[in-house]
Amino acid sequence: MVMATRWKKYSKRNTYYFRYRRRLILEMYRKYSQRYKDYLRYQLRKTLHLGTRNDFISFRIPSYGRFPNLKVLNLKLHLTLPNSVFLKRLFRSCPLLEDLYMDITCVDNFDQTFRFCIPTLILLQLKLNADEFDSCRHKEFIINTPNLESLSITDPSLSCFRIHDIVLPSLIQANLSIGKSSYVHDFQVSKDEASRVMEALKGVRNAIDLTLPFGTTSALSYCFDDGDDFPIFPCLLDLQLGIDYCFGWKLLPYFLENSPVLRYISLYRESETKYTTAIAEGKHKEADDTYGWKPPKQVPECLMDRLKNIEVRNLWRRKAECEVVKYLLENGKALEKMRISFEEDGISDEIDEDTIENFPRASESMILKISD
């Protein structure tokens, strides 16, 4: 009887213990389970897409969290201080990250320097959105990715991009779309602000394939003066260069002189209609007869030995452009093909196909194609 009573008390006490323990475990699970679920759900993925809810990222990473298999990360967010802290933590959690796509909306009250220090990164595509011109122009981004192979930056507002040296010959492709030609032409940009684009260009001087649209070249032309140091592009093979309507061909001689192994160049002229409209509205004075073209003092090395393919698109049919085309034909000893097209709705008619066909050519076997 005594043994039965003791066993009953012990059993009752044991039942209370196990019930309390179970309740404690359930409470802990409810408190922390979502964090564990988030981590376990994503840690095995190779591709991750994150957006925002009410401008802030709701996804949480545990302090011990890591994404050992994550190689592709796609982010769309507002650049705020909480999101900046989150991203630094997220990048540290991805030891094998290779591709990073970021679509960022700028916020005026964010004035922190944002760093991309990811040694494993191979591709970086950065797009900045701004409702107004001032939204991003005071932001600074530091890109320290020594093994990067592809870099694309789209930012109309002229943020500051400091790109550390990328190991040779790692950088295969670079696309810098920084600035907007209308901001430069309307004098909304100072020379100091435009010089940020030159600093970014120096950071990609080891690229093999380089693309610079109108907005980028207008800012570069605005801040660059004859006699300034222009970067040398020792590995550049393919160049796509926008020729804006304000500064014209100003940068072309420098790229020819400083790209010794250049084999392909594409020159795309900005619309003549924009130019005439800007003059009519008084926003821009009429350009001189050369449209910024000054032939190099000596024939560039690439024209004599390397340059095989030239494409000139959207020509205005003006005499000044004749001089550019004539120079390339007369000195392109290695040229194999040259394609020229005129602007469909062009206003000028100072030159035509026959004029170009009669220019002397340094390469007798070169094929010339002209289209409207």
Side-chain angles (χ1 to χ4, degrees), residues 176-207:
L176 300 182
S177 182
I178 306 174
K180 195 173 181 180
S181 57
S182 61
Y183 296 156
V184 177
H185 302 161
D186 297 345
F187 303 103
Q188 298 183 46
V189 177
S190 67
K191 279 198 171 185
D192 288 339
E193 290 172 330
S195 64
R196 299 173 183 174
V197 185
M198 182 61 75
E199 291 302 316
L201 180 65
K202 292 178 180 178
V204 297
R205 62 183 178 274
N206 293 325

Side-chain angles (χ1 to χ4, degrees), residues 96-108:
L96 298 180
L97 187 63
E98 294 180 355
D99 297 355
L100 176 60
Y101 303 86
M102 292 189 65
D103 190 337
I104 296 174
T105 299
C106 295
V107 179
D108 290 335

Side-chain angles (χ1 to χ4, degrees), residues 121-165:
L121 204 63
I122 294 175
L123 181 150
L124 175 59
Q125 184 173 308
L126 183 60
K127 179 182 178 183
L128 273 67
N129 306 299
D131 296 333
E132 297 179 358
F133 176 58
D134 290 330
S135 295
C136 290
R137 65 193 298 186
H138 302 298
K139 305 293 187 294
E140 182 180 33
F141 298 87
I142 296 177
I143 300 175
N144 187 5
T145 51
N147 297 303
L148 201 65
E149 294 181 5
S150 179
L151 173 64
S152 176
I153 299 176
T154 303
D155 172 31
S157 59
L158 285 169
S159 298
C160 181
F161 295 91
R162 303 190 185 278
I163 305 172
H164 291 202
D165 284 340

Side-chain angles (χ1 to χ4, degrees), residues 16-31:
Y16 287 148
Y17 168 74
F18 282 109
R19 283 180 180 175
Y20 175 76
R21 182 183 176 189
R22 181 173 179 273
R23 187 166 62 250
L24 183 63
I25 291 172
L26 285 174
E27 288 176 359
M28 292 178 65
Y29 178 79
R30 292 191 186 100
K31 184 176 181 180

